[in-house]
Amino acid sequence: MADFRITLVRSLIGRPETERKTARALGLRKLHSQVVRPDTPVIRGQIQKLAHLVKVETRA
């Protein structure tokens, strides 16, 4: 199963609290921080919610 490398590329300043909590749940804390997460429906939903703030790469 593939993994996602998720990078926070836009700031969370001024974003709604739900988006901040979602980023925190993914493990994204600072700008340009990266995390690797498995490809699951839950992670896909979180990425979709933050699509305008993150860059996602697929790892095999």
Side-chain angles (χ1 to χ4, degrees), residues 34-45:
Q34 290 184 344
V35 293
V36 176
R37 295 290 178 254
D39 182 3
T40 63
V42 173
I43 299 297
R44 283 180 180 261

Side-chain angles (χ1 to χ4, degrees), residues 4-10 26 28 30-36 47 50-57:
F4 291 125
R5 176 180 285 157
I6 308 164
T7 307
L8 185 63
V9 295
R10 304 262 332 243
L26 280 171
L28 300 169
K30 296 181 178 181
L31 204 56
H32 303 294
S33 62
Q34 290 184 344
V35 293
V36 176
I47 290 171
L50 299 178
H52 56 290
L53 301 174
V54 298
K55 180 176 90 172
V56 181
E57 302 169 13

